[in-house]
Amino acid sequence: MNKLEGFQNQDCQTAIEECFKEVQTKIESSFNNIYIDLDSLINEIFDVLNDKYQKCIQRSPSLINLPQIKLEDYNIFQQICQDIISIIKSKINNQVLLKEKEKELLINMSLKCEQQMIEILQQLEQKSNEKDILLEQQTLQIQQLNTQLNIQQSSTVKSTHTQSKPFNYQIIKEFSISKSYQCYALAIDNDCSTLVAGCYSTIKVFEFNQGVIKQIQTLNEHKSFVYTLNFMKKSKHFLSGSLDSSIIIWKYIQNNLWSSQQILYGHSNQINCLVINKYEDLIISGSNDNTIKFWINKNEWLCQQTIADHSSSVYGLVLNQQQNRVVSCGHDKVILIIEQSGQNTEWKVVQKMKVDQFGYRVCFIDNNMFTFSQGEKEYISVFEMNTINKLFTKTRDINIKSGSDSGNCLFPQQYINGKCILLSKNGQYINLIRKKQNGELLTEQSIHFGTNSLFGVMSDDGEYLITWDEKSKQIQIRRYKEQ
């Protein structure tokens, strides 16, 4: 900083001094020329005057005593020029002083500019350091994401390897619960800690923890048989549908206790099937009154829309993973494809398919493929969407075991994405079907119960298969095991 200031002072002083010397030289030279020219002019004038004087004397001798004018004795113009030069020099000195102040001001401004430049450079350096730190953080995040991706890929490979292994569900006898009364519906919560069972018109709540099953509560709001039970995924609330045509939302209070939050009335006959979306703000219900109702949560649950395209009882409902398409089946031998149109919340029937036999159950495998189970058939049909016309058509059948069926639709199909397993109740059997990597669906295990009065559910992770059947009159729990 001091070197810069010294250089600036010296440079400015030299330039100013040279400039003023040149100006002073030019001024003195100009004034010398001026008073020389003036003297010459005046002398010429007085020469003329003297000439006139001589002529006047000749005419008037009395004027001879007048003195003759001689300008060479006077240096008036030179004095005037010197006085003017003195004044100009004084002005120049004042201007020099002014220039000195301007120079000082310029130097100060230069110093300030330099200081500002230093500050700006420091800020830029700080920003650069911050960017370097941010870049390091982003690089670290990318490395962490890559690590997670590698772990996920490894997990996927492991999962794929696991899926290639044979499996079966083996009964855990110490978990069995003897219940002589009918259990038409069963459900287990997301963390496999609570089990609910519809026993006639009551709902039994069991604590399911570390190999111990313990009944903790009985709920008695329904007036007739409980036919459907569904736990919500995000909360511990659950839904129940009944022969009394009502739907109840059960709210978790605390200490494994539930209470009725709201009763939904709208159907005029028994509730056969219920689904709830993953956001827990939409319930879809199917009934023997031939209708499908869409209920939305606006501080309380309200019926938003009713689809009445079935001409007989609605037996099965399923919602796709994208949450914008519903498939239904019923006693009228019709499959409906219902979609939500764009941003509009309205649901519309976009396809109606006629089938040979009435259907009990439907289940999405992915957004563009679902399975369909018909009564007393030894196969399950697969329907896939055409990518061009966006319509579903039957593409194949999967062989399963069934036996006689009494027309019971109350045990819905489930697809367990984590294990790629489709659970399907058919007649007297539970069929466990694995989806292979190539998309092929093959039956891995068929469990025979000796009765078609068979009801149950599988846990969301596929670890537990929970059933009640009329032959054993037990709630039985089976666990997934690879062979």
Side-chain angles (χ1 to χ4, degrees):
M1 183 71 68
N2 292 332
K3 289 183 178 180
L4 176 62
E5 181 180 0
F7 173 77
Q8 289 176 338
N9 289 339
Q10 183 178 0
D11 187 47
C12 290
Q13 182 69 32
T14 302
I16 291 169
E17 288 176 354
E18 290 178 355
C19 180
F20 285 124
K21 284 179 180 180
E22 184 178 354
V23 170
Q24 185 173 352
T25 301
K26 288 184 178 181
I27 289 171
E28 289 177 352
S29 175
S30 298
F31 274 99
N32 286 332
N33 292 332
I34 289 170
Y35 68 68
I36 289 171
D37 291 340
L38 286 174
D39 281 344
S40 176
L41 178 61
I42 296 301
N43 286 326
E44 289 177 2
I45 292 171
F46 278 91
D47 285 340
V48 172
L49 289 174
N50 286 325
D51 183 60
K52 295 288 184 181
Y53 171 75
Q54 291 297 328
K55 289 180 180 180
C56 289
I57 292 174
Q58 291 174 3
R59 292 176 184 176
S60 301
S62 60
L63 297 173
I64 193 168
N65 294 324
L66 289 175
Q68 188 176 358
I69 299 172
K70 294 183 179 179
L71 290 177
E72 60 268 19
D73 296 332
Y74 297 91
N75 204 10
I76 182 171
F77 292 108
Q78 187 174 0
Q79 184 64 42
I80 290 172
C81 288
Q82 289 177 352
D83 291 341
I84 293 172
I85 289 171
S86 176
I87 292 171
I88 291 173
K89 285 184 177 180
S90 177
K91 292 289 184 180
I92 289 174
N93 290 332
N94 291 336
Q95 290 295 323
V96 168
L97 292 175
L98 181 61
K99 293 295 181 181
E100 288 289 339
K101 292 181 179 180
E102 290 179 355
K103 181 186 72 173
E104 184 179 358
L105 179 61
L106 288 171
I107 291 172
N108 290 335
M109 288 177 64
S110 175
L111 293 174
K112 288 182 179 179
C113 290
E114 183 180 2
Q115 182 62 35
Q116 289 176 355
M117 287 297 296
I118 292 173
E119 291 176 357
I120 290 172
L121 289 172
Q122 290 175 345
Q123 291 175 0
L124 288 174
E125 184 178 4
Q126 183 179 359
K127 292 288 185 182
S128 177
N129 292 335
E130 291 175 355
K131 286 183 178 180
D132 290 340
I133 294 172
L134 180 60
L135 182 61
E136 290 178 0
Q137 292 174 346
Q138 291 175 342
T139 303
L140 181 60
Q141 289 176 353
I142 291 172
Q143 291 175 349
Q144 292 174 345
L145 288 172
N146 286 333
T147 302
Q148 292 176 0
L149 180 60
N150 292 333
I151 292 172
Q152 289 176 355
Q153 291 175 343
S154 175
S155 175
T156 302
V157 171
K158 183 179 179 181
S159 175
T160 302
H161 178 70
T162 299
Q163 291 169 14
S164 65
K165 294 182 179 180
F167 71 90
N168 60 28
Y169 283 83
Q170 297 180 359
I171 191 168
I172 307 174
K173 293 183 178 180
E174 57 269 28
F175 281 9
S176 298
I177 305 170
S178 296
K179 292 293 179 185
S180 58
Y181 39 76
Q182 294 273 61
C183 291
Y184 289 119
L186 293 159
I188 188 168
D189 66 354
N190 197 40
D191 61 2
C192 299
S193 63
T194 305
L195 173 68
V196 290
C199 304
Y200 291 115
S201 61
T202 66
I203 299 172
K204 306 290 184 182
V205 183
F206 299 90
E207 186 180 47
F208 184 48
N209 186 23
Q210 297 181 353
V212 177
I213 297 179
K214 176 183 176 183
Q215 183 175 333
I216 55 177
Q217 192 177 10
T218 299
L219 305 172
N220 299 292
E221 292 286 338
H222 282 295
K223 307 302 180 186
S224 189
F225 295 109
V226 176
Y227 280 165
T228 66
L229 288 167
N230 300 71
F231 265 102
M232 295 184 179
K233 308 299 183 186
K234 294 166 63 176
S235 65
K236 291 181 75 70
H237 299 357
F238 68 90
L239 317 175
S240 61
S242 171
L243 178 63
D244 64 12
S245 75
S246 71
I247 301 168
I248 299 181
I249 292 93
W250 300 93
K251 179 181 180 180
Y252 178 74
I253 308 172
Q254 57 183 359
N255 300 325
N256 286 331
L257 296 177
W258 281 259
S259 66
S260 172
Q261 182 183 36
Q262 187 180 352
I263 302 177
L264 308 183
Y265 297 106
H267 285 290
S268 59
N269 210 323
Q270 71 185 45
I271 310 298
N272 292 322
C273 45
L274 284 175
V275 293
I276 183 166
N277 72 346
K278 63 183 179 183
Y279 310 111
E280 300 185 1
D281 58 4
L282 174 68
I283 297 170
I284 310 171
S285 57
S287 169
N288 267 14
D289 64 7
N290 311 340
T291 68
I292 300 168
K293 291 188 179 292
F294 294 81
W295 310 80
I296 59 173
N297 190 1
K298 298 290 186 181
N299 295 323
E300 63 176 359
W301 291 92
L302 303 170
C303 182
Q304 179 195 37
Q305 187 179 350
T306 300
I307 300 288
D309 288 51
H310 280 289
S311 59
S312 189
S313 299
V314 181
Y315 287 156
L317 281 174
V318 65
L319 183 63
N320 69 343
Q321 295 172 1
Q322 200 171 332
Q323 311 288 286
N324 65 345
R325 184 178 294 127
V326 174
V327 174
S328 67
C329 64
H331 195 265
D332 59 0
K333 302 178 184 179
V334 167
I335 297 174
L336 297 182
I337 311 297
I338 308 168
E339 291 185 359
Q340 194 172 32
S341 54
Q343 298 298 324
N344 193 342
T345 57
E346 184 180 5
W347 294 82
K348 294 182 179 180
V349 177
V350 296
Q351 187 179 356
K352 184 182 291 189
M353 292 182 285
K354 194 74 176 176
V355 291
D356 297 332
Q357 180 71 22
F358 59 83
Y360 285 141
R361 299 166 184 89
V362 284
C363 182
F364 269 108
I365 303 300
D366 57 40
N367 284 314
N368 301 319
M369 179 170 68
F370 68 86
T371 56
F372 170 62
S373 175
Q374 303 177 71
E376 297 185 357
K377 296 289 185 179
E378 296 289 328
Y379 61 83
I380 295 172
S381 299
V382 178
F383 288 77
E384 296 183 68
M385 188 177 72
N386 186 300
T387 56
I388 299 174
N389 59 20
K390 306 298 181 182
L391 297 177
F392 283 89
T393 56
K394 178 181 172 180
T395 58
R396 54 190 150 142
D397 293 322
I398 308 166
N399 294 325
I400 47 94
K401 292 184 178 181
S402 178
S404 63
D405 203 329
S406 63
N408 184 354
C409 67
L410 299 181
F411 189 164
Q413 284 184 346
Q414 283 179 262
Y415 182 70
I416 308 302
N417 191 60
K419 287 185 166 56
C420 298
I421 294 174
L422 173 66
L423 165 70
S424 181
K425 185 264 184 185
N426 302 90
Q428 299 180 7
Y429 288 83
I430 288 179
N431 292 285
L432 298 156
I433 302 159
R434 163 137 311 155
K435 181 184 178 184
K436 303 293 185 179
Q437 280 184 280
N438 60 4
E440 186 180 8
L441 294 165
L442 295 175
T443 302
E444 292 268 354
Q445 183 183 8
S446 297
I447 305 173
H448 187 218
F449 286 83
T451 176
N452 53 31
S453 186
L454 169 63
F455 312 93
V457 69
M458 184 175 279
S459 62
D460 291 337
D461 59 4
E463 280 298 308
Y464 297 101
L465 171 62
I466 305 165
T467 60
W468 182 93
D469 67 278
E470 193 171 34
K471 184 176 180 179
S472 70
K473 298 189 183 300
Q474 291 181 337
I475 295 177
Q476 296 178 344
I477 299 176
R478 289 173 169 80
R479 191 164 193 171
Y480 174 89
K481 185 176 180 180
E482 292 179 353
Q483 295 179 348

